[in-house]
Amino acid sequence: MSDEKKDSLQHINIKVVAPDQSEVFFKIKRTTPLSKLMNAYCERQGKQRSSVRFMFDGARVEDHATPEQLEMEDGDAIDVMVEQVGGFWAVN
Amino acid sequence: MSRFRSGAGRAEGRRSAGEAPETPAPDAKRQRTASGWSSWFTTPWRWSSPGTADAAAGGAGGAAAFASGQDQLDTAADCEYAGADGEQPAAEQCDDTEFETLRPRTPAAAALPNAAALLAASPAGDGSSGKEAEASRPGRPEATEAPGAGAGASGDAVAAETQAHASTEGVVVPAGSAEVQAAGAGDAIVAGEPRTLGHWPARTVAASSGRIMPPALPRSPSPAAGPAAGPAALPLAWRRPRRSIASSGATSPSRGSQRSISTTSSSVAFSQLLRPNAAGIVSKKVPRVGLTFMMKERARNSEYAASRLQSSYVPLSADAQSRLSGKAKQISELKAYMATIDRLKQEHSRQARQTLARSVVRDTPQKASLALPRLSTTAPRASERDGKPDWLVSLREKVEKYGGIEHRDIDTPLYNQLLAKESEAEAHIDQLRLEDSPPIAKLPPDAQKLVESVMSGDRVVVEAFGVKILSKDIRTLKDTTWLNDEVINFYGEMCMKRAKQAQDKFPRIHVFNTFFYEQLRTRGYSSVRRWTKKVDLFEKDLVIVPVHLGAHWTCAVINLKQKRFEYYDSLHGSNPTCQELLREYLKSESLDKKKTPIDLSDWEDYTPKNIPAQQNSYDCGVFTCMFMEHSARQAAFRFSQRDMPMLRTRIAYEIIKAELL
């Protein structure tokens, strides 16, 4: 097996989509915990980890989860959501 | 006449003309003076049986006005409109003057809230009040400009105009005058005797700006205090959001000094014209005002509406009373009352439109301009007139005017008051239901301490459902803080968990997270297509969707069992967009997952407005959690604003324990 092929089996490309539709691509091993990806994204975007939510197919991405566990495929997207708060709607 | 007697059953009120007002009965409940009404209002939910309360203590003006002879009451009965069916209670009579004042009334007054009786009695019955009106009349401003101040019979433009004529020219309208267009004339017939117009006591309802004046509490016998005090005194305090009815999305009418559609009082000729079901479709429009304003309005209006509630009360039969008890009884009474209001509303709008239609048909310039305050009475532009004969132009004008009538907003003071009464009764029913329900389960004794200690910390409080809840998330449940998505989502997860653990007890549910709606709205179905890869929505009973609207939380529910798209907003807002999005979502979901189209044509949108309401600017998240939790077990919404502080602690405690209590 060539190195390239081995690499594509072990690694996976994942894009992280922000609310403004901007995308950041990550290449990550299938067995690496996604916390690494999430921390890297936050660092890069200058965001507090606790102020954003990472969702994959509508489910929260847990720190210890790996792409393998989540059955991610190459090119899959993780959505980043910003904290929502609400209490009142002044005028309809 | 029999309707008055039987419907109200207060024969003692029919005294001979001129008799002095009854002194109040010694019974404490009967001694409600005008100020007593307000104290009653402050504890509105202790709704003492109106049967006793309606016997308001006799005040000077109102009581005397009703000390009229039986024959006059009989005459008044003739005014009942033709369309009325036999079961309708006395309150059926539709007239502005039903709301004329809040002054204490005799039982007869309570029994006859309709204007015809009031009016029939007022000029002849009581010398002092008549004189008072007489004395004060010359000082009154020109009635056309201040219909609220001058118009006695209906507070509308026509009446105002007629009265202005009467007061300036001294017109005497004899009984049987053929002209019933103006309210005053109609009532002259009712009264059965010639009299001058303009006898009415000062109006307490101003039509000119849609404002409701405070009812003139027991009117001072001093002539000087008469009409002058009324409209000027407290207009702002009684302003209420304008409500209007509109069909086919008609917009609010422009404001103007005489924009109310006029209505006559119940007049003989009119009764011939009335037809049932002529009113057209009536739909309420939610006033576009802020919450604070709405809350203040609510408080202000409730006193008035509450007192009206009592005075229009129609007792249940003894049999029905024995079957019902306590709050259940009150609720059923209120429901009957609301039905009456509804009929009144329909009747009123019908009358108003009739009046309008008649005035258009006659189209005498003066009346048309008065009765059609919101219509453009300007001549057609030169370009329109070009090449057309005059008769065609005027015919077209008429058609245009008449054609719009069914779609015009009814915006008389009476109609607005009816709406207010209705919503007040509705709120009252809600509150009674709430009070009738068992209290929400108490927290464990140590819950408060635990929650406080967690809030003050800075740590991971609980880790469940793939989420770490931090102290800062729990802190959003503190006092007046806005809730964040973590709390709502965690709460939704707990609801799902509970439903899964006890499938025999709870409906099958799926709760989406708070980002679902945002994704669906901004990026469409494809962005949430994979959100349900592990769940089949179509085998659920309910799909709960917490909705985030910028700074507001609400709760939408796809009720697959009852086939409807529910929307619960603690501010009683509507969101047809959301319901439409969910409808489209379900269609797409069916095509995608089931490969078959789903027919949702008989699924309805359900946005009830009689749900618990938020009365501040921070609790909507808690309400949304409660809507979710109650929906998840298909329970009635038995909570209210007063429970919110406790529920915040409770939700925090449940999150810390990762389980619903």
Side-chain angles (χ1 to χ4, degrees), chain B residues 502-520:
Chain B
Q503 290 189 354
D504 51 332
K505 275 198 223 157
F506 297 103
R508 291 162 295 177
I509 61 165
H510 180 73
V511 184
F512 278 115
N513 66 40
T514 53
F515 301 103
F516 171 82
Y517 179 69
E518 197 168 304
Q519 287 283 96
L520 179 67

Side-chain angles (χ1 to χ4, degrees), chain A residues 21-87:
Chain A
Q21 310 281 344
S22 67
E23 296 175 350
V24 179
F25 287 85
F26 288 90
K27 194 172 187 181
I28 186 174
K29 257 192 186 171
R30 287 178 188 271
T31 50
T32 306
L34 286 162
S35 60
K36 236 178 165 178
L37 177 149
M38 295 189 282
N39 288 334
Y41 180 85
C42 285
E43 217 166 277
R44 211 181 135 142
Q45 304 287 319
K47 293 222 164 70
Q48 280 239 321
R49 181 76 172 76
S50 60
S51 70
V52 291
R53 332 274 186 231
F54 292 91
M55 322 268 300
F56 177 64
D57 287 351
R60 281 292 279 273
V61 179
E62 293 179 65
D63 279 349
H64 58 76
T66 64
E68 205 167 34
Q69 286 170 351
L70 297 180
E71 298 167 5
M72 284 181 170
E73 286 163 24
D74 199 52
D76 274 354
I78 290 181
D79 295 307
V80 187
M81 309 289 191
V82 187
E83 179 176 23
Q84 300 168 320
V85 292

Side-chain angles (χ1 to χ4, degrees), chain B residues 357-368:
Chain B
R358 288 166 60 91
S359 65
V360 172
V361 170
R362 289 189 186 161
D363 208 20
T364 59
Q366 186 187 42
K367 277 172 188 157

Side-chain angles (χ1 to χ4, degrees), chain B residues 47 49 316-333 432-433 435-436:
Chain B
W47 203 54
S49 170
L316 288 176
S317 69
D319 181 37
Q321 272 178 359
S322 68
R323 265 188 282 114
L324 300 162
S325 66
K327 302 218 162 79
K329 188 173 105 191
Q330 292 178 19
I331 287 172
S332 82
E333 283 163 354
L432 284 168
R433 278 202 182 119
E435 309 235 320
D436 209 18

Side-chain angles (χ1 to χ4, degrees), chain B residues 195-353:
Chain B
R195 56 179 174 80
T196 56
L197 291 168
H199 268 286
W200 330 116
R203 289 291 297 168
T204 56
V205 175
S208 59
S209 62
R211 290 172 182 170
I212 308 302
M213 297 303 166
L217 298 176
R219 291 202 306 124
S220 150
S222 146
L234 288 150
L236 286 173
W238 280 75
R239 196 190 328 150
R240 78 177 64 219
R242 270 184 342 105
R243 305 222 187 163
S244 48
I245 60 154
S247 55
S248 68
T251 52
S252 290
S254 59
R255 285 169 181 273
S257 64
Q258 290 182 348
R259 59 184 169 61
S260 302
I261 293 180
S262 66
T263 177
T264 64
S265 67
S266 334
S267 62
V268 177
F270 258 40
S271 66
Q272 316 299 321
L273 289 162
L274 298 170
R275 303 276 184 279
N277 305 322
I281 301 158
V282 175
S283 67
K284 272 190 247 175
K285 254 194 288 186
V286 179
R288 296 163 71 87
V289 289
L291 178 73
T292 324
F293 181 69
M294 274 159 43
M295 281 159 53
K296 282 181 188 162
E297 286 307 310
R298 195 187 170 96
R300 280 176 196 140
N301 295 344
S302 52
E303 176 181 10
Y304 183 76
S307 64
R308 298 300 316 170
L309 262 180
Q310 287 200 331
S311 60
S312 302
Y313 167 72
V314 180
L316 288 176
S317 69
D319 181 37
Q321 272 178 359
S322 68
R323 265 188 282 114
L324 300 162
S325 66
K327 302 218 162 79
K329 188 173 105 191
Q330 292 178 19
I331 287 172
S332 82
E333 283 163 354
L334 278 164
K335 278 186 173 167
Y337 174 67
M338 280 175 67
T340 308
I341 294 179
D342 200 51
R343 285 200 294 271
L344 274 170
K345 263 167 55 192
Q346 289 189 19
E347 180 55 29
H348 179 71
S349 56
R350 197 153 62 219
Q351 282 194 4
R353 292 201 165 98

